[in-house]
Amino acid sequence: AQSVSQHNHHVILSEAASLELGCNYSYGGTVNLFWYVQYPGQHLQLLLKYFSGDPLVKGIKGFEAEFIKSKFSFNLRKPSVQWSDTAEYFCAVKDGGATNKLIFGTGTLLAVQP
Amino acid sequence: NAGVTQTPKFRILKIGQSMTLQCTQDMNHNYMYWYRQDPGMGLKLIYYSVGAGITDKGEVPNGYNVSRSTTEDFPLRLELAAPSQTSVYFCASSYSAGTGYGNTEAFFGQGTRLTVV
């Protein structure tokens, strides 16, 4: 069955540190890939998405992610985090046709210390 | 644009009661989803729909039912509420075509916080 793994459950960083959050998925066919952010008490908002084309995707607020098909990975990066990036981050995968399910990882809680 | 609208925002149910969580979208999206979110567990897919009249089970469908009679609406029904259904429920919608042209990400509602006591 299709699955998504986020290896970092809880990350604590100081402001200006670099961030990389891991995401791996299990589906071997065509996929659409997403990173969402959830600020405390709010709903999910899209950070960035990959459908096709350039595997390096740039999103909002300085975030980017790289799709590496051979590694089934879609890691999220940001060169310099801010206190306002404190939130929970979710990776999600939608398979391209078999079931069309949109499956989420368990999330990574990021705390940025000023 | 209203986007995805969920009602109610909060609800407390007694064990064994039933209720329907409402979800409507005004973006003419063909796909709609219901998720539950529990601490440390991420979002688990309950049911989804690829268009009016078509629904399918997700990862955790037991205890829930859905229907999709129109493109806009995708209600989630809890028949016999149990404490294990205490959670935050999110509805989402997206557009997806076989050609890939015009595909969108999923847009989420504000959530319904349900407590079963």
Side-chain angles (χ1 to χ4, degrees), chain A residues 97-108:
Chain A
T99 67
N100 292 295
K101 292 179 182 177
L102 177 62
I103 301 297
F104 282 79
T106 52
T108 297

Side-chain angles (χ1 to χ4, degrees), chain A residues 2 9 32 34 36 38 41-46 49 51 88 90 94 99-107, chain B residues 31 33 35 37 40-45 48 50 57-59 90 94 96 103-110:
Chain A
Q2 181 184 347
H9 298 294
N32 301 150
F34 309 88
Y36 283 85
Q38 186 179 33
Q42 296 189 23
H43 64 103
L44 276 75
Q45 303 169 45
L46 183 73
K49 59 189 176 185
F51 286 132
E88 192 158 18
F90 294 94
K94 182 172 176 293
T99 67
N100 292 295
K101 292 179 182 177
L102 177 62
I103 301 297
F104 282 79
T106 52
Chain B
Y31 282 70
Y33 308 87
Y35 294 90
Q37 184 179 27
M41 302 295 290
L43 278 79
K44 295 295 186 185
L45 181 63
Y48 69 108
V50 303
K57 295 178 180 178
E59 302 167 281
F90 287 100
S94 70
S96 184
N103 286 3
T104 73
E105 68 273 23
F107 292 81
F108 282 80
Q110 295 288 334

Side-chain angles (χ1 to χ4, degrees), chain A residues 3-95:
Chain A
S3 66
V4 180
S5 298
Q6 290 183 243
H7 313 296
N8 317 101
H9 298 294
H10 200 169
V11 173
I12 301 173
L13 294 173
S14 297
E15 274 193 314
S18 64
L19 170 72
E20 180 159 3
L21 301 181
C23 174
N24 288 90
Y25 61 93
S26 63
Y27 184 68
T30 302
V31 290
N32 301 150
L33 300 160
F34 309 88
W35 276 98
Y36 283 85
V37 61
Q38 186 179 33
Y39 299 102
Q42 296 189 23
H43 64 103
L44 276 75
Q45 303 169 45
L46 183 73
L47 272 180
L48 47 79
K49 59 189 176 185
Y50 172 82
F51 286 132
S52 64
D54 189 344
L56 184 61
V57 179
K58 294 194 184 297
I60 61 171
K61 304 185 180 186
F63 286 92
E64 65 177 33
E66 185 174 11
F67 170 48
I68 303 179
K69 189 174 182 179
S70 61
K71 294 185 178 180
F72 297 90
S73 70
F74 190 57
N75 293 354
L76 181 71
R77 300 193 292 250
K78 186 171 184 178
S80 176
V81 295
Q82 301 173 321
W83 178 79
S84 58
D85 293 325
T86 294
E88 192 158 18
Y89 293 81
F90 294 94
C91 180
V93 175
K94 182 172 176 293
D95 73 59

Side-chain angles (χ1 to χ4, degrees), chain B residues 16-77:
Chain B
Q17 285 185 321
S18 62
M19 77 163 294
T20 299
L21 281 66
Q22 301 291 345
C23 177
T24 188
Q25 53 95 5
D26 62 358
M27 297 174 282
N28 202 30
H29 286 168
N30 50 354
Y31 282 70
M32 295 189 76
Y33 308 87
W34 273 106
Y35 294 90
R36 59 176 289 171
Q37 184 179 27
D38 302 295
M41 302 295 290
L43 278 79
K44 295 295 186 185
L45 181 63
I46 305 171
Y47 272 95
Y48 69 108
S49 168
V50 303
I54 306 170
T55 62
D56 208 346
K57 295 178 180 178
E59 302 167 281
V60 291
N62 291 345
Y64 307 94
N65 278 301
V66 294
S67 60
R68 183 99 182 267
S69 56
T70 67
T71 299
E72 295 79 18
D73 300 307
F74 190 44
L76 178 71
R77 178 90 177 153

